């Protein structure tokens, strides 16, 4: 016992962990012939005579260093145990069963490696990404415990059904809406398929009835299958979309050709009309039209320019739509199908510029947005939205280059040699009507590079570049912009066909009592008859 009382706490700790090689200045071993320490000496008492007194700072430092050394030894021991336990695990029954599914899952997820630097090992990188994501979720979970009251979003108000509908040949019903001039007096007819998370109520947002009257235009909008009050069509594609437009035009008495309007995601359906029913389309008015970001004819540089302008969340939504479309339901039910009101940037995963931000904050746009979204999600089914998202990133059934193709003719040897020395005028087949594309240069939803690709694929298209304009600012609630658009499409306003005459200009039918000229004419006729009878 006496020997035990002479040991300092450093020595006692050293007996537990062994010789670690750590030497503390104040914890030197006592001399072999030194006397016993006084009772109570050590940490709280006086040290042995002849030794330097150990201060609090040195004691704390020594305790921390010793604790760190113990933890290090413990970690090495755990590592050795784990290594020994996992030795030969590759040959175990569990490993053999999991090897094939793990390889299949790794192959399916290998496309994600394209976003990693070339000099990085995917296994290590994705392990780090998973760890960081887990920590981020923990931080978000802790932050969500804030007791600060937050204003709850308002519920969407869905009005009672009130749309006009007609039956398609396959039995489905299509809901539509008309604005502007009536069918018999319309000089121009426009058909507008809506974009994603929209409805027939959109059309050209904010367009005035007076402008439509001035140009003699009739604007027809309709709900895509499963949107608004239109019946769903599970097997729909872009060919069936073009046929729906054709049946709509026939049902509404549009005898002549009509113009098709394509805005954002609605541009996909407008392109299909130019491809599948070109004989019924007079022209196309496109506004930042959507293109397939996976188009096989798109160069790597064109793809990079498009993807670089999108937000991370929007990129993820496109990847899910192409690879794992079933997961989109979860996102949709947590956002615009939740029954709550929300902002376009959040629900559509958008990044907006200065002018778009200003417009989206305006009360008139918010009122339109709430009404349009409520009508779009009326049926509460995620399937139509999943189908629309998948259509955007899947094979369209055609390429934009198929809309206008150079005419190919069988040439003999003489014609071929002649073409080498002369610039023969190119002849095109397909849709040869006017195609106008308006593109905001500050558009971050459908980047300008997408329109550049469309222009390369469709040589006959005319592109109008709009400096400082975004995705919404030129197309929505801009009277002067709408006038510029109609003037470009239709020229000088000529009003409707067969204008209704003003009440003051309506000619009254003359009566016998109120028309002296008529009485004089009758008298002259009677005199002529008497003269004729006398001569006879």
């Amino acid at each position: 016992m006496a020997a035990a009382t002479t040991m300092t706490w450093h020595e006692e700790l050293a007996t537990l962990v062994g010789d670690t090689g750590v030497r503390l200045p104040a914890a030197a071993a006592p001399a072999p012939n030194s006397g016993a320490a006084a009772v109570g000496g050590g940490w709280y008492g006086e040290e042995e005579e002849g030794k330097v007194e150990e201060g609090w700072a040195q004691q704390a430092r020594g305790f921390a260093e010793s604790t760190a050394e113990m933890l290090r030894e413990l970690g090495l021991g755990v590592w050795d145990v784990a290594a020994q336990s996992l030795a030969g695990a590759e040959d175990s029954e569990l490993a053999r069963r999991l090897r094939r599914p793990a390889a299949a899952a790794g192959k399916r997820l290998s496309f994600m490696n394209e976003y990693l630097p070339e000099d990085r090992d995917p296994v290590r990188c994705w392990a780090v990404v998973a760890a960081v994501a887990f920590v981020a979720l923990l931080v978000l979970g802790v932050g969500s415990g804030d007791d600060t009251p937050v204003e709850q979003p308002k519920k969407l108000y869905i009005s009672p059904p009130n749309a006009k509908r007609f039956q398609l040949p396959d039995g489905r019903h299509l809901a539509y809406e008309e604005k502007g001039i009536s069918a018999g007096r319309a000089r121009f007819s426009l058909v507008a398929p809506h974009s994603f998370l929209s409805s027939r109520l959109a059309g050209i947002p904010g367009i005035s009835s007076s402008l439509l009257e001035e140009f003699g235009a009739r604007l027809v909008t309709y709900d895509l299958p499963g949107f608004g009050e239109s019946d769903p069509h599970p097997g729909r594609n872009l060919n069936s979309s073009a046929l729906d437009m054709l049946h709509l035009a026939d049902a509404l008495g549009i005898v002549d050709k009509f113009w098709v309007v394509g805005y954002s995601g609605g541009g996909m359906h407008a392109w299909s009309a130019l491809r599948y029913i070109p004989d019924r389309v007079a022209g196309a008015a496109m506004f930042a039209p959507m293109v397939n970001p996976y188009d096989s004819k798109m160069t790597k540089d064109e793809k990079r320019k498009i993807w670089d302008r999108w937000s991370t969340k929007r990129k993820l939504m496109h990847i899910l739509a192409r690879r794992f479309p079933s997961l989109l339901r979860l996102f949709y039910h947590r956002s615009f199908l939740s029954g709550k009101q929300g902002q376009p940037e959040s629900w559509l995963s958008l990044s907006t510029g200065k002018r778009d931000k200003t417009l989206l904050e305006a009360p008139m746009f918010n009122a339109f947005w709430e009404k349009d979204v409520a009508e779009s999600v009326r049926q509460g089914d995620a399937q139509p939205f999943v189908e629309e998202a998948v259509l955007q990133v899947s094979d369209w059934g055609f390429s934009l280059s198929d809309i206008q193709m150079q005419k190919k003719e069988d040439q003999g040897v003489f014609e071929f040699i002649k073409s080498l020395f002369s610039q023969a005028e190119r002849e095109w087949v397909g849709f040869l009507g006017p195609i106008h594309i308006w593109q905001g240069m500050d558009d971050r939803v459908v980047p300008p590079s997408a329109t550049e690709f469309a222009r390369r694929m469709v040589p006959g298209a005319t592109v109008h570049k709009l400096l400082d304009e975004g995705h919404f600012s030129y197309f929505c609630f801009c009277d002067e912009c709408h006038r510029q658009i109609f003037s470009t499409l239709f020229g000088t306003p000529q009003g409707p066909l067969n204008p209704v005459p003003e009440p003051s200009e309506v000619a009254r039918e003359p009566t016998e009592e109120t028309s002296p000229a008529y009485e004089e004419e009758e008298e002259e006729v009677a005199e002529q008859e008497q003269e004729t009878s006398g001569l006879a």
Side-chain angles (χ1 to χ4, degrees), residues 146-181:
D146 190 5
D147 295 333
T148 304
V150 178
E151 183 180 357
Q152 295 296 325
K154 299 179 181 179
K155 292 185 177 181
L156 283 175
Y157 171 72
I158 300 178
S159 61
N162 59 357
K164 299 177 182 178
R165 304 205 312 167
F166 77 97
Q167 190 171 16
L168 293 162
D170 60 3
R172 293 181 294 116
H173 288 84
L174 203 68
Y176 67 94
E177 184 169 301
E178 299 176 90
K179 293 182 180 180
I181 304 304

Side-chain angles (χ1 to χ4, degrees), residues 92-136:
S92 64
E93 180 66 20
L94 179 62
R96 285 195 296 270
R97 291 188 177 187
L98 295 179
R99 186 176 295 116
R100 181 174 296 177
K107 184 178 180 180
R108 189 171 184 179
L109 296 174
S110 61
F111 72 95
M112 299 289 289
N113 297 335
E114 298 176 1
Y115 301 99
L116 296 177
E118 296 181 358
D119 57 343
R120 293 292 184 267
D121 182 12
V123 176
R124 294 177 178 269
C125 285
W126 290 120
V128 173
V129 171
V132 173
F134 178 74
V135 173

Side-chain angles (χ1 to χ4, degrees), residues 504-520:
S504 59
E505 298 177 358
V506 177
R508 296 182 179 179
E509 289 293 334
T511 62
E512 296 182 358
E513 298 179 354
T514 58
S515 178
Y518 180 74
E519 295 177 355
E520 294 178 357

Side-chain angles (χ1 to χ4, degrees), residues 196 227 236 321 325-329 332 381-392:
F196 188 86
F227 291 72
R236 69 188 179 104
S326 58
L327 297 179
L328 292 176
R329 296 175 178 271
Y332 294 163
D381 187 7
Q383 184 60 28
F385 296 94
V386 174
E387 293 171 354
E388 189 72 5
V390 172
L391 274 178
Q392 292 180 354

Side-chain angles (χ1 to χ4, degrees), residues 308-495:
D308 286 351
R309 292 293 295 269
W310 284 338
S311 64
T312 303
K313 187 176 179 181
R314 186 169 179 83
K315 294 176 184 178
L316 174 62
M317 299 304 287
H318 282 309
I319 293 174
L320 291 179
R322 186 168 176 86
R323 303 284 185 175
F324 312 101
S326 58
L327 297 179
L328 292 176
R329 296 175 178 271
L330 175 63
F331 287 91
Y332 294 163
H333 281 292
R334 291 179 61 87
S335 55
F336 52 80
L337 290 177
S338 64
K340 307 292 180 61
Q341 294 180 5
Q343 296 300 319
E345 303 98 313
S346 174
W347 282 0
L348 296 176
S349 309
L350 307 180
S351 57
T352 54
K354 183 178 179 181
R355 291 202 176 182
D356 278 346
K357 288 181 181 294
T358 302
L359 177 64
L360 266 57
E361 294 172 356
M364 61 180 181
F365 185 88
N366 286 323
F368 155 76
W369 166 258
E370 293 173 7
K371 188 177 180 180
D372 189 36
V373 170
E375 184 62 29
S376 179
V377 302
R378 171 183 292 277
Q379 302 184 34
D381 187 7
Q383 184 60 28
F385 296 94
V386 174
E387 293 171 354
E388 189 72 5
V390 172
L391 274 178
Q392 292 180 354
V393 297
S394 302
D395 183 9
W396 286 7
F398 66 93
S399 174
L400 293 183
S401 60
D402 298 335
I403 294 175
Q404 288 183 348
M405 298 173 290
Q406 187 175 358
K407 186 176 181 180
K408 295 182 179 180
E409 296 181 352
D410 295 334
Q411 295 181 347
V413 178
F414 178 76
E415 287 77 7
F416 174 75
I417 297 175
K418 183 179 179 181
S419 64
L420 296 177
F421 297 94
S422 62
Q423 290 283 344
E425 185 178 354
R426 295 183 178 181
E427 295 186 24
W428 300 91
V429 294
F431 180 77
L432 303 180
I435 302 175
H436 293 273
I437 303 177
W438 282 267
Q439 176 65 54
M441 303 310 291
D442 193 29
D443 192 334
R444 304 179 188 181
V445 181
V446 179
S449 52
T451 296
E452 293 175 5
F453 167 70
R455 176 65 178 82
R456 183 170 68 86
M457 293 290 100
V458 187
T462 301
V463 177
H464 307 272
K465 297 182 179 180
L466 310 171
L467 298 179
D468 301 327
E469 296 288 354
H471 190 70
F472 303 93
S473 58
Y474 190 81
F475 184 68
C476 305
F477 298 97
C478 178
D479 292 337
E480 184 59 31
C481 304
H482 297 163
R483 178 171 291 278
Q484 292 175 3
I485 293 168
F486 274 49
S487 298
T488 303
L489 298 179
F490 309 131
T492 304
Q494 301 180 28

